[in-house]
Amino acid sequence: SKAMLFDEGQKSKVTFADVAGLEEAAMEVKEVVDFLKNPDDFTKLGAKIPKGVIMIGPPGTGKTLLAKAMAGEAQVPFFSLSGSEFVEMFVGVGASRVRDLFKQAKEKAPCIVFIDEIDSIGRSRGKQAFYSGSNDERESTLNQLLTEMDGFETNSGVIVLAATNRADLLDPALLRPGRFDRHIYLELPNIREREEIFKVHLRPLKLNETIDAAYLAGQTPGFSGADIANVCNEAALIAARRKKDRVDKQDFHDALDRIVAGLEKKSKVISPEE
Ligand code: ATP
């Protein structure tokens, strides 16, 4: 969700150290990094390197973060576009933007092209909900994306990563072999994974010694990684406003109260897990 509209091939500084609790996805993720770093290991045996990998999971589970971490670990440029903003902002020129993006990406290969919220361009017909652009526009953008993916050579060094919360809405054409035929599933973190994610986001904070990642993990069933990052930052903001020199338990409790209230407003269901 935080992906820029059009991230023009910067090197990513995100690494696997910034991502916690996604062991389930780890193997596929490492494979993508290997394809980018050591393509010859695969191609010399005649293997075709996958072109498209789709990450499927609820909001805030780290899809964007993981895409950037793959680019960071492989030390390749990262191009990105956000499906929803894309359709809204480039009315009439969606297809040519896609063409430009892939042209640049091919010049900078090996690299990653990341498409956030791909469902907003890749929704199948008949499943179109509210949407601000015209369907023709969306379709021509989608068609251009398919053309690009079919057009660039296997083993060109461009790997397209896409993210969605709603794989059920996707046009099956996108998931055909040679397109997004690899899937990485992300889930909301369990208590142990939340603890790991807390550790990542507590790391940069100045903390009172009473703060304990395991305790916070127990207080936050149903939270996504993004929610956890939010709690940690909110607690630090509260502590700063209170002129403290360390963030303490009270600050975390107040941050949690505030964020839980916000989540309830968004009518997000917090499941009584564990
Ligand atoms: P959306 O579906 O809303 O686009 P997303 O799955 O792309 O969400 P991100 O944008 O990657 O989620 O996550 C937002 C932020 O939440 C990250 O920048 C990071 O700070 C934090 N976060 C999410 N998941 C993790 C994780 N597994 N480990 C550490 N931090 C995480």
Side-chain angles (χ1 to χ4, degrees):
S1 60
K2 313 266 164 1
M4 264 177 280
L5 184 58
F6 209 125
D7 205 335
E8 314 238 1
Q10 300 300 312
K11 285 265 162 88
S12 163
K13 290 192 188 75
V14 181
T15 69
F16 289 153
D18 300 304
V19 189
L22 296 177
E23 285 86 25
E24 292 270 317
M27 222 175 66
E28 284 97 339
V29 166
K30 292 221 173 72
E31 263 189 352
V32 171
V33 173
D34 270 353
F35 292 148
L36 290 163
K37 277 176 96 166
N38 309 307
D40 297 346
D41 291 355
F42 302 90
T43 55
K44 72 182 178 200
L45 300 181
K48 290 184 187 132
I49 292 174
K51 293 175 176 179
V53 178
I54 191 157
M55 294 180 283
I56 301 165
T61 45
K63 299 181 289 297
T64 306
L65 184 70
L66 198 54
K68 286 185 177 161
M70 288 187 241
E73 291 287 337
Q75 297 187 299
V76 300
F78 183 80
F79 293 86
S80 83
L81 64 84
S82 151
S84 61
E85 291 171 68
F86 200 75
V87 186
E88 281 163 26
M89 291 189 60
F90 296 117
V91 178
V93 294
S96 70
R97 288 281 164 165
V98 169
R99 204 176 309 124
D100 288 349
L101 176 70
F102 277 88
K103 183 166 177 284
Q104 287 187 49
K106 278 179 271 188
E107 283 164 9
K108 287 222 192 163
C111 68
I112 282 178
V113 173
F114 175 60
I115 305 174
D116 200 3
E117 300 176 81
I118 192 165
D119 43 286
S120 51
I121 30 182
R123 227 169 239 248
S124 55
R125 288 175 201 224
K127 289 190 180 167
Q128 290 152 3
F130 303 107
Y131 154 68
S132 55
S134 80
N135 288 325
D136 287 355
E137 169 70 9
R138 189 223 315 265
E139 247 165 62
S140 73
T141 305
L142 173 62
N143 287 338
Q144 188 62 38
L145 177 62
L146 297 176
T147 304
E148 292 295 341
M149 289 200 67
D150 294 344
F152 70 77
E153 318 229 320
T154 310
N155 305 336
S156 69
V158 179
I159 293 191
V160 188
L161 302 178
T164 182
N165 311 324
R166 297 291 310 270
D168 56 312
L169 294 180
L170 289 180
D171 192 317
L174 275 169
L175 305 175
R176 263 179 222 143
R179 294 171 178 168
F180 294 98
D181 49 8
R182 292 259 177 150
H183 301 172
I184 297 179
Y185 291 93
L186 305 185
E187 308 280 351
L188 284 176
N190 63 26
I191 188 164
R192 201 182 42 76
E193 293 165 331
R194 291 197 300 276
E195 180 179 343
E196 295 308 310
I197 299 172
F198 264 111
K199 283 184 186 155
V200 167
H201 292 281
L202 292 174
R203 213 187 284 147
L205 304 184
K206 273 201 156 178
L207 298 173
N208 178 291
E209 63 280 2
T210 59
I211 301 303
D212 175 39
Y215 170 78
L216 290 169
Q219 299 296 305
T220 48
F223 276 47
S224 68
D227 297 330
I228 290 172
N230 200 4
V231 169
C232 293
N233 195 56
E234 192 63 38
L237 291 174
I238 290 172
R241 236 177 271 128
R242 292 170 175 164
K243 311 269 185 249
K244 293 181 185 169
D245 36 286
R246 308 230 160 227
V247 193
D248 64 27
K249 239 179 174 164
Q250 188 59 51
D251 305 318
F252 272 91
H253 278 176
D254 294 342
L256 275 172
D257 280 349
R258 184 174 290 185
I259 284 160
V260 169
L263 291 176
E264 280 165 2
K265 240 184 240 156
K266 279 197 284 179
S267 75
K268 178 169 173 165
V269 181
I270 296 175
S271 61
E273 180 202 356
E274 288 127 18

